[in-house]
C-alpha cells in the first residue's frame, strides 16, 4: 500500500504564502490498510505506485482567470486524470457555495438520478445527492439571496447582476470556458469539444450522501458524448475529510463499474477541499464519492464532443427514455447541429 502527501493551501497562512510554489509529490511506502490515509495528505493512493506532480496555479491575482497548468494537462493525457489543489481562490469558492446554498433554499435543487444512464433513474442504492443544472444566463437561477451574498465582486473583476458569480466576467462559466480551451489543446487532432453541449451543475451531498462506483460516460447512452469530467469543490474551510468524509475515490484497477475479478483494488483518494479542481477522462476513470458525514458542495461538469451522424440512433433512444430535461435539451442541440451544421460537426 502506498500513499503520498503534498501541501494544500488550507488554514495555515504559512502554507498560503507558499501556494504558488511547485510541489512534487511522490508515492511513499506506508503500512496503512487500503483506504486509510495519512492525516496530512490531500490525496492518498491505494495499491498503486506512481509519481504525481501537482501545481497549484495562481488564482488570487485580481482580475486573472485561473487556468490549467501544463503539468495538469500532461497528467490528464498520461494518467487520464489531474488533481489541482487551490485552483480557485477562497473568496470565489465561498461565493459559489453561497450561491449554491441560496439556490437550494429557493428549491432549485432536485434529487439526483444516476447521470450516465439514459433513464436517469433515482436509485438510492447508488447515489444520495441533489443537483441544480446551471446554464449560462439561466434566468430562473437568479436568486435574490445570491446577489447580496456575493462578496468577491467588489474585490475582483466579477461584475453584473444576479448570478454574476456564475455568469459575469471572470465568473464560473468564463473559468469553465477557459478550461475547455486548455482541454482542446490536449489532442489537436481530436474533434473540438462542443461548447453548446457543456453540462454544468451544482451538486450537494447531505450528511449520509454518497455516489457509488460508476463511470460518467458509458456506451449506448447519451453520456457517450462526454469526453472530460470536471469537479470543483466548494466546501468551506472547516471541511475536514478525516471527519466529514466525502472523498472522491478514483479507481485505477482497469475495471469499469466494478473491480475486475482477481484484480487488487488500486485507487487514489482526493480530499474535496474547497478550490480543488479534478479533471478526468469520462469514459476511462471509474470513481465514487465515499460516504459523507457533513454537507458537501461541488461544481460538477462534463465537456462533450459534438454529435456525429453515427450517434443519432443511440442518442435518439436515450432522449425517448429520458426524464432528464437538461440531457434532452443537450441532445436537441446536438441533433439540430446534425441537421443544420453537418459540415461543422465533421470539422470541415
Ligand atoms: O462530487 C464528486 O466528487 C464526484 C461526483 C460524480 O462522480 C458525478 O456527479 O458524476
Ligand atoms: Fe461521476
Amino acid at each position: 500500500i502506498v500513499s503520498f502527501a503534498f501541501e494544500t493551501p488550507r488554514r495555515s497562512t504559512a502554507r498560503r504564502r507558499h501556494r504558488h510554489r511547485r510541489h512534487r509529490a511522490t508515492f511513499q511506502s506506508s503500512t496503512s490498510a487500503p483506504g486509510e490515509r495519512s492525516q496530512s495528505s490531500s490525496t492518498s493512493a491505494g495499491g498503486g505506485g506512481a509519481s504525481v506532480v501537482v501545481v497549484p496555479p495562481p488564482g488570487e491575482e485580481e482580475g486573472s482567470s485561473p487556468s490549467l497548468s501544463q503539468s495538469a494537462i500532461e497528467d490528464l493525457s498520461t494518467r487520464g486524470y489531474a488533481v489541482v489543489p487551490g485552483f480557485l481562490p477562497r473568496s470565489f469558492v465561498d461565493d459559489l457555495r453561497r450561491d449554491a446554498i441560496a439556490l437550494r433554499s429557493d428549491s432549485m435543487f432536485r434529487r439526483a438520478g444516476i447521470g450516465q444512464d439514459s433513464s436517469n433513474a433515482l436509485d438510492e442504492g447508488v447515489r444520495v445527492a441533489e443537483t441544480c443544472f446551471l446554464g449560462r444566463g439561466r434566468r430562473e437561477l437568479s436568486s435574490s439571496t445570491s446577489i447580496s451574498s456575493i462578496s468577491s465582486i467588489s474585490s475582483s473583476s466579477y461584475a453584473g447582476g444576479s448570478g454574476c458569480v456564475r455568469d459575469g466576467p471572470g465568473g464560473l462559466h468564463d473559468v469553465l470556458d477557459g478550461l475547455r480551451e486548455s482541454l482542446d489543446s490536449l489532442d489537436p487532432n481530436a474533434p473540438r469539444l462542443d461548447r453548446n453541449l457543456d453540462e454544468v451543475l451544482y451538486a450537494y451531498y447531505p450528511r449520509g450522501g454518497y455516489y457509488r462506483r460508476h463511470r460518467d460516460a458509458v456506451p449506448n447512452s447519451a453520456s457517450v458524448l462526454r469526453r472530460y469530467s470536471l469537479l470543483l469543490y466548494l466546501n468551506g474551510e472547516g471541511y475536514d475529510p478525516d471527519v466529514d468524509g466525502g472523498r472522491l475515490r478514483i479507481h485505477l484497477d482497469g475495471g469499469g463499474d466494478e473491480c475486475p475479478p482477481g484484480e487488487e483494488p488500486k485507487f487514489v483518494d482526493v480530499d474535496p477541499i474547497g478550490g480543488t479542481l479534478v479533471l478526468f477522462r469520462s469514459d476511462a476513470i471509474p470513481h465514487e464519492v465515499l460516504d459523507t458525514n457533513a454537507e458537501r458542495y461541488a461544481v460538477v461538469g462534463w465537456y462533450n464532443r459534438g454529435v456525429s451522424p453515427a450517434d443519432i440512433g443511440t442518442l435518439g433512444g436515450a432522449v425517448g427514455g429520458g426524464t432528464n430535461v437538461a440531457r434532452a435539451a443537450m441532445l436537441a442541440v446536438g441533433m439540430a447541429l446534425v441537421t443544420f451544421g453537418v459540415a461543422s460537426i465533421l470539422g470541415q
Side-chain angles (χ1 to χ4, degrees):
I1 300 305
V2 292
S3 69
F4 70 94
F6 50 79
E7 289 203 48
T8 57
R10 55 188 296 233
R11 293 196 184 130
S12 140
T13 48
R15 280 182 178 181
R16 287 175 71 84
R17 260 184 257 124
H18 296 293
R19 64 180 300 158
H20 302 307
R21 275 224 219 118
R22 191 183 168 101
H23 300 290
R24 177 173 287 273
T26 309
F27 288 97
Q28 299 160 346
S29 288
S30 134
T31 51
S32 59
E36 274 184 29
R37 317 114 190 139
S38 73
Q39 289 290 313
S40 61
S41 71
S42 169
T43 308
S44 56
S51 170
V52 178
V53 178
V54 179
V55 181
E60 303 275 19
E61 291 91 355
E62 286 201 8
S64 74
S65 200
S67 58
L68 206 55
S69 67
Q70 195 52 43
S71 70
I73 290 175
E74 276 164 31
D75 284 349
L76 202 48
S77 59
T78 55
R79 301 183 315 187
Y81 72 94
V83 180
V84 186
F87 179 76
L88 281 190
R90 172 52 64 187
S91 60
F92 198 170
V93 169
D94 289 344
D95 284 344
L96 287 168
R97 186 180 62 261
R98 283 190 204 109
D99 184 45
I101 290 169
L103 290 172
R104 195 162 169 270
S105 72
D106 285 353
S107 306
M108 300 309 292
F109 277 63
R110 297 282 171 268
R111 269 180 58 206
I114 308 167
Q116 85 275 34
D117 165 293
S118 65
S119 67
N120 202 31
L122 290 170
D123 183 347
E124 292 226 335
V126 177
R127 188 182 194 190
V128 171
E130 295 174 25
T131 52
C132 173
F133 278 85
L134 306 173
R136 205 186 256 282
R138 244 190 100 185
R139 291 178 61 181
E140 69 275 29
L141 297 182
S142 301
S143 154
S144 52
T145 347
S146 63
I147 313 170
S148 53
S149 63
I150 292 169
S151 62
S152 61
I153 292 166
S154 54
S155 63
S156 73
S157 63
Y158 315 134
S162 141
C164 53
V165 71
R166 282 175 266 124
D167 292 336
L172 177 66
H173 290 296
D174 278 359
V175 171
L176 299 184
D177 284 350
L179 284 174
R180 185 185 340 90
E181 281 162 25
S182 302
L183 292 171
D184 261 334
S185 72
L186 250 171
D187 181 0
N189 297 322
R192 307 277 87 183
L193 296 166
D194 191 326
R195 63 176 305 158
N196 294 310
L197 304 185
D198 286 355
E199 303 170 84
V200 189
L201 49 86
Y202 282 137
Y204 164 82
Y205 288 73
R207 196 185 296 251
Y210 51 81
Y211 194 171
R212 302 296 181 226
R213 178 170 172 156
H214 65 281
R215 285 163 298 162
D216 287 348
V218 293
N220 300 316
S221 89
S223 69
V224 77
L225 296 183
R226 292 172 171 170
R227 290 257 303 276
Y228 298 104
S229 302
L230 166 139
L231 299 163
L232 258 174
Y233 294 113
L234 303 182
N235 296 309
E237 284 195 284
Y239 197 97
D240 179 353
D242 285 332
V243 178
D244 299 328
R247 286 186 167 102
L248 170 73
R249 178 159 293 179
I250 294 175
H251 290 281
L252 303 169
D253 52 33
D257 291 344
E258 284 170 20
C259 184
E263 274 303 317
E264 280 295 306
K266 190 178 169 198
F267 55 80
V268 168
D269 286 348
V270 179
D271 288 354
I273 299 297
T276 295
L277 167 73
V278 182
L279 287 165
F280 55 87
R281 278 194 34 210
S282 302
D283 61 338
I285 301 284
H287 55 281
E288 67 184 298
V289 177
L290 303 181
D291 294 358
T292 55
N293 304 318
E295 295 181 308
R296 175 190 193 270
Y297 291 90
V299 172
V300 182
W302 295 275
Y303 293 105
N304 291 284
R305 66 169 172 79
V307 182
S308 72
D311 290 321
I312 295 305
T314 311
L315 302 184
V319 170
T323 54
N324 179 338
V325 174
R327 174 63 46 73
M330 177 189 99
L331 293 170
V333 172
M335 293 201 191
L337 274 171
V338 171
T339 309
F340 302 117
V342 175
S344 72
I345 292 159
L346 298 178
Q348 292 164 352

